[in-house]
Amino acid sequence: MLPLLYLHGLSSGDFVPALEQFLGSAAGLSPATVTRLTKQWGDDHTAFQARDLSASDYVYVWADGVHPKVRLGQAHSCVLVLLGVRLDGTKELIALAEGLREPSESWADLLRDCRRRGMRDPELVVGDGAMGLWRALAEVFPAARQQRCWVHKAKNVTTALPKSAQPGATKAMQEIYNAEDRAHAEKSIAAFAKTYGAKFPKAVAKITDDAEELLAFYDFPAEHWIHLRTTNPIESTFSTVKLRTRVTRGAGSPAAALAMVFKLVESAQERWRAITGAHLVALVRAGARFERGHLVERPEAAVA
């Protein structure tokens, strides 16, 4: 029998109204009802993962491997998530599948499948620098630029420092990714290295070795910077998913658990807002050039 999957702590303000039409109150659901619902969710997820992507142009993509509070198929499995920004600036879930966060092959399988279904190279992919994503990305979507998530990076740096040095380092890193442009960010990196390099070279190397990938967002419109320097669109969605899901009895069905996560994210998508400066996304895709966050060269095709 499939596990009884509860959604708890719900309110009309949460992002689950699409599921409420299936569940109503979690109390008293029969095994037959649970089986029917989870089968429908599974069918919906299967159809989603097989859909044609050739008509969808994702200019920016966020990627992350997250661990919701559901039991998946393997001991170290997570949910691999791709979320994109379309030409009109709206956000859309691209793919959601079970996999392993670190090995590149899990990411390569997911990316190859997206490529096979018609997805083209994004302009920029934002993700955690520790993932096997980057090797897979270079293979499958080699034209995409890479942006390391500053939230993940800041955590990695601070854990390599003693507690006494962490507040100052955190402020110094904020001065890097909040700089007015790339040139000022590079100066802030140099200042960070000068301040902490002698005592904490390993922590500093986490910044200097990835400097290009940490500052890539500065080459895009300034309106987009806040969206491109972290994987927050995925993190914020799944922080709520984790609060809303739990498996309550039995060994559980990994497929049913993954399907429920998909339905929660699908419902959340209805409330996602377009990114700031949405009108600039099409210019980015057309090859427009930006300096210090401002448009300096408009492609001929866009002018026409």
Side-chain angles (χ1 to χ4, degrees), residues 179-203:
E180 61 184 276
D181 55 33
R182 176 187 277 265
H184 284 83
E186 290 171 346
K187 290 180 181 178
S188 294
I189 288 180
F192 182 88
K194 183 178 180 180
T195 301
Y196 298 99
K199 290 185 177 181
F200 314 112
K202 291 183 179 180

Side-chain angles (χ1 to χ4, degrees), residues 9-300:
L10 306 183
S11 71
S12 59
D14 291 320
F15 71 96
V16 293
L19 291 183
E20 288 179 337
Q21 63 180 306
F22 297 112
L23 293 179
S25 171
L29 288 179
S30 69
T33 299
V34 173
T35 298
R36 176 179 59 81
L37 293 179
T38 53
K39 182 182 184 303
Q40 180 61 58
W41 298 343
D43 291 344
D44 291 347
H45 181 230
T46 298
F48 175 81
Q49 288 293 107
R51 76 197 190 286
D52 182 13
L53 297 177
S54 59
S56 301
D57 191 359
Y58 302 110
V59 180
Y60 301 133
V61 170
W62 295 279
D64 205 354
V66 296
H67 296 272
K69 294 180 180 179
V70 293
R71 187 175 293 109
L72 298 172
Q74 301 181 57
H76 301 291
S77 287
C78 67
V79 177
L80 304 181
V81 184
L82 297 177
L83 192 157
V85 175
R86 301 180 59 140
L87 283 175
D88 62 357
T90 57
K91 302 170 190 170
E92 181 175 279
L93 181 66
I94 303 172
L96 186 152
E98 181 180 350
L100 299 175
R101 190 170 186 267
E102 298 296 336
S104 61
E105 196 56 34
S106 284
W107 282 106
D109 287 345
L110 183 62
L111 294 176
R112 288 188 201 111
D113 183 60
C114 290
R115 169 72 84 180
R116 178 186 59 78
R117 290 186 284 126
M119 181 174 164
R120 62 181 292 193
D121 294 62
E123 293 295 324
L124 185 71
V125 175
V126 187
D128 174 11
M131 294 190 301
L133 166 70
W134 305 114
R135 290 190 297 274
L137 187 71
E139 173 199 334
V140 184
F141 293 114
R145 293 187 61 186
Q146 302 178 7
Q147 169 66 46
R148 301 293 189 267
C149 171
W150 268 102
V151 170
H152 287 91
K153 179 61 70 175
K155 290 179 181 178
N156 290 338
V157 171
T158 54
T159 55
L161 294 169
K163 288 187 177 180
S164 61
Q166 289 178 6
T170 297
K171 183 177 180 181
M173 286 187 284
Q174 291 172 345
E175 291 177 356
I176 299 171
Y177 61 76
N178 286 327
E180 61 184 276
D181 55 33
R182 176 187 277 265
H184 284 83
E186 290 171 346
K187 290 180 181 178
S188 294
I189 288 180
F192 182 88
K194 183 178 180 180
T195 301
Y196 298 99
K199 290 185 177 181
F200 314 112
K202 291 183 179 180
V204 170
K206 293 178 183 294
I207 297 289
T208 56
D209 289 354
D210 286 342
E212 179 58 34
E213 291 78 13
L214 285 167
L215 303 183
F217 74 92
Y218 280 112
D219 295 334
F220 295 87
E223 292 87 342
H224 299 172
W225 292 353
I226 191 172
H227 304 286
L228 301 181
R229 60 195 178 205
T230 74
T231 55
N232 183 63
I234 292 177
E235 295 288 333
S236 59
T237 295
F238 273 85
S239 65
T240 310
V241 169
K242 291 174 185 179
L243 291 173
R244 299 291 179 254
T245 59
R246 61 188 172 100
V247 179
T248 59
R249 70 179 182 225
S253 162
L258 185 64
M260 187 181 66
V261 171
F262 164 69
K263 296 304 289 186
L264 285 165
V265 177
E266 184 184 56
S267 180
Q269 183 172 242
E270 298 175 3
R271 287 158 180 75
W272 290 344
R273 297 180 180 179
I275 67 171
T276 306
H279 64 287
L280 297 170
V281 177
L283 287 177
V284 170
R285 177 56 100 187
R289 188 164 60 89
F290 295 82
E291 289 183 1
R292 303 186 68 184
H294 302 293
L295 179 67
V296 295
E297 181 179 335
R298 184 183 295 265
E300 292 182 5

